[in-house]
Amino acid sequence: MSFDKIFKLPSFSGNTDPWGPPAAIPESLKFNDVPYAPYSKNDKLGKVADWTESVKDPKDNKRQQQRGYRDPYHAYGANAAASFFNNDEDGDNASFSVVDNTKTRQPTVFKAKGRANNTNARTGGPNTRKPQKNRDASVKVTEEWELIQSNKFNELQKLSFDVPPSTDIGTYGYVSPYNKGLDKPRLNQNLKTLDRTIFNVTTSEDPVIQKLAEETAAKVFATDAIISLLMCTTKSVNPWDIIINKSGDKIFFDKRDGGPLDILSVDENSTDVPADSTDKSNINSAQNLAIEATYINQNFAVNAILENDPKKVKFANPNPFYNPDEEQDPLLAHGYRYKSFNLAESPEDEPINLVVRTEVDAVIPGKTPSFVNVRALNEYGPNGVLEWKNKFANQRGAIVTAEMKKNLCKLSRWTAQSILAGVSSLKIGFVSRQTPKDNTKHIIVGVIGQIPTQLASQINLNISNGWGIVKSIVNIATALD
């Protein structure tokens, strides 16, 4: 059987006027001088007309960001074909523009208290700056005040002055041995609340300084808290003030009662500082946190010593502020060293003696007893999460580094105070709340010890610059009538 009988094709009717290209193509329509564009049969053909191209699905943006993504509707070799056209045609097309009258949608900006003003903050975008907290002056400045001199931080940072070693004038009080049990790697010990009498007397009311002002040739008097604050001026963020009293040729640097020197700041240098609040029930407000930090430091000073240990060190004179007939609570073991620093420009010049009352918290017994200062940082869990208890033992370095950034000014002041007092070690306790919503119960999660001079290098504290600031302020006060 032949294939013609099996596969017989039907007949087609002819069309004398068909639709389509003519049988003979004119020369003007032939593909002359048309560049070759690469083409792959595996590529999908583009759409004839896409009126929704400007409206993109958000999922497409995510796909395009993935590695190896390729647009399925992109013409294969389109970029290569465009390179064949000459520059003359580009010049002709340069004068042609399309006006887009469609309204562009502005990006949404989310604003929240304590967070960055843009959505790039979480991913470390370029606009991660947070709004600055408005900080009012610590004391109201009235029109009657006379401006003596104004200094900028960048000017203070250039100051430098080297002070000779200090001279001990007198020692008062006594100190108990440091509790070495706090140096355990894993501590988690409850912070005991113990009532002790603690003094924070300003300079001009100190009976020892009053006596020295009458009997010695010293001209300037201050406490280590005030001098350390002046030294760390360029690191401070919160407002503060000091009072300079001048009596004849004697100058007294005093603190203001109820001022910033009576309480401790919390997260002063943080990018997310605690907010001010008039609501007294808000335990995480800046004021309540400052009171809590002061309360923790006072109790930590009691927990960090062995009060009943017989190896306590008594100084030459008793505590100048304690009167057992007037005080009901027992006295907290505390030592005072009065030191004299010469602020003269050169040894040949007339001495400008600065008398500073420095403080010592504890002692480590030995052949040569070494004195110690104790301080405490506190965790309050602003996001409702307390991490120190579980992470301090294994991630101590990260926690310490974070605290150095958030509390740089406070740590710098503690370091400067320790250097002024001449102690050999600064013990810093890390105290956390037992629960985020209770600011009355705390636990000590750990303690680290630092040599003050080494800690000053770690936090970039320049003592010579600090003395330069103190020297400049003393010169200004001396020139006043």
Side-chain angles (χ1 to χ4, degrees):
M1 182 181 292
S2 65
F3 288 100
D4 296 338
K5 294 181 179 181
I6 299 175
F7 301 101
K8 186 176 182 181
L9 298 175
S11 60
F12 295 94
S13 58
N15 187 359
T16 58
D17 188 15
W19 181 87
I25 300 176
E27 291 294 333
S28 60
L29 296 180
K30 287 186 177 180
F31 301 104
N32 296 328
D33 300 328
V34 175
Y36 169 74
Y39 174 74
S40 175
K41 294 181 179 181
N42 296 329
D43 288 342
K44 296 182 180 179
L45 295 177
K47 300 178 182 179
V48 176
D50 187 1
W51 306 104
T52 63
E53 182 180 3
S54 59
V55 182
K56 294 184 178 180
D57 190 350
K59 297 180 179 179
D60 294 339
N61 295 332
K62 295 182 180 179
R63 297 192 190 100
Q64 293 177 6
Q65 295 175 0
Q66 296 177 358
R67 188 174 182 179
Y69 171 80
R70 182 180 176 188
D71 187 2
Y73 295 105
H74 181 74
Y76 181 84
N79 294 333
S83 63
F84 283 90
F85 292 98
N86 54 31
N87 295 330
D88 294 338
E89 293 180 356
D90 293 342
D92 296 339
N93 294 332
S95 61
F96 179 76
S97 62
V98 178
V99 179
D100 186 5
N101 294 326
T102 59
K103 295 182 179 181
T104 58
R105 186 177 180 180
Q106 297 294 333
T108 304
V109 178
F110 296 94
K111 295 183 179 181
K113 183 178 291 186
R115 295 184 178 231
N117 284 346
N118 54 76
T119 56
N120 291 335
R122 292 186 177 181
T123 58
N127 300 323
T128 56
R129 292 184 178 180
K130 298 184 179 181
Q132 294 292 331
K133 176 182 176 181
N134 294 327
R135 293 178 170 87
D136 298 329
S138 59
V139 61
K140 185 177 181 181
V141 180
T142 61
E143 297 179 354
E144 291 79 12
W145 287 41
E146 180 183 357
L147 178 63
I148 303 300
Q149 186 170 334
S150 177
N151 292 22
K152 297 181 180 181
F153 274 12
N154 57 354
E155 297 173 351
L156 297 177
Q157 291 174 347
K158 299 177 182 178
L159 300 176
S160 180
F161 186 74
D162 294 329
V163 176
S166 62
T167 303
D168 289 339
I169 299 178
T171 57
Y172 294 78
Y174 69 95
V175 288
S176 296
Y178 171 73
N179 183 8
K180 294 184 178 180
L182 298 179
D183 294 336
K184 296 178 180 179
R186 297 181 181 272
L187 188 59
N188 291 335
Q189 174 181 313
N190 290 332
L191 180 69
K192 299 178 182 179
T193 303
L194 302 173
D195 294 330
R196 295 292 184 272
T197 301
I198 301 174
F199 295 96
N200 185 18
V201 182
T202 188
T203 307
S204 59
E205 296 178 1
D206 187 332
V208 177
I209 289 181
Q210 292 175 354
K211 184 178 180 180
L212 292 173
E214 296 176 358
E215 299 178 354
T216 64
K219 295 183 178 181
V220 188
F221 304 89
T223 63
D224 59 350
I226 295 176
I227 295 299
S228 64
L229 180 60
L230 295 177
M231 286 184 168
C232 304
T233 297
T234 57
K235 299 182 184 298
S236 63
V237 178
N238 292 340
W240 53 268
D241 62 275
I242 60 173
I243 300 173
I244 300 178
N245 293 314
K246 192 172 183 182
S247 177
D249 61 345
K250 308 292 184 179
I251 300 174
F252 299 88
F253 287 84
D254 284 309
K255 69 178 182 67
R256 181 169 52 84
D257 290 339
L261 284 172
D262 286 337
I263 56 177
L264 296 173
S265 63
V266 176
D267 292 353
E268 178 179 351
N269 302 94
S270 174
T271 55
D272 190 8
V273 296
D276 295 325
S277 176
T278 57
D279 185 8
K280 295 183 179 180
S281 61
N282 182 8
I283 62 175
N284 289 339
S285 66
Q287 180 67 18
N288 288 336
L289 286 175
I291 296 175
E292 181 183 359
T294 306
Y295 163 83
I296 289 174
N297 270 267
Q298 292 175 352
N299 284 278
F300 181 73
V302 185
N303 286 252
I305 60 176
L306 302 175
E307 292 186 294
N308 299 323
D309 195 303
K311 296 180 181 179
K312 63 180 62 175
V313 176
K314 293 184 178 181
F315 291 136
N317 302 282
N319 191 303
F321 311 113
Y322 183 71
N323 187 348
D325 297 333
E326 297 178 357
E327 304 294 341
Q328 297 180 354
D329 296 328
L331 175 66
L332 172 65
H334 208 67
Y336 301 94
R337 282 177 162 181
Y338 291 81
K339 294 176 172 288
S340 177
F341 299 88
N342 186 7
L343 301 183
E345 296 289 345
S346 64
E348 292 78 13
D349 296 340
E350 181 183 356
I352 304 176
N353 293 323
L354 165 65
V355 175
V356 181
R357 185 188 74 209
T358 64
E359 301 183 11
V360 179
D361 296 322
V363 63
I364 298 178
K367 293 183 179 179
T368 303
S370 57
F371 296 102
V372 177
N373 275 350
V374 294
R375 300 291 188 270
L377 296 169
N378 59 299
E379 180 190 29
Y380 60 96
N383 300 323
V385 180
L386 300 173
E387 299 180 343
W388 287 2
K389 182 178 180 180
N390 298 325
K391 295 184 178 181
F392 187 80
N394 299 325
Q395 302 182 22
R396 179 175 304 186
I399 293 176
V400 172
T401 302
E403 289 301 309
M404 285 182 177
K405 295 179 180 179
K406 294 190 296 184
N407 294 285
L408 177 61
C409 182
K410 182 165 63 175
L411 287 170
S412 299
R413 288 178 55 192
W414 292 346
T415 305
Q417 286 179 285
S418 300
I419 293 176
L420 291 173
V423 298
S424 59
S425 178
L426 173 60
K427 298 288 186 178
I428 302 176
F430 290 77
V431 181
S432 177
R433 291 177 182 173
Q434 291 187 1
T435 59
K437 296 183 179 181
D438 188 357
N439 63 344
T440 60
K441 297 180 180 180
H442 303 83
I443 56 175
I444 307 172
V445 299
V447 177
I448 64 171
Q450 293 282 344
I451 299 175
T453 53
Q454 294 181 0
L455 180 58
S457 301
Q458 294 179 16
I459 60 179
N460 196 23
L461 174 61
N462 190 339
I463 296 298
S464 297
N465 172 249
W467 279 121
I469 297 174
V470 174
K471 170 66 174 175
S472 64
I473 297 178
V474 170
N475 291 341
I476 295 173
T478 304
L480 296 177
D481 295 333

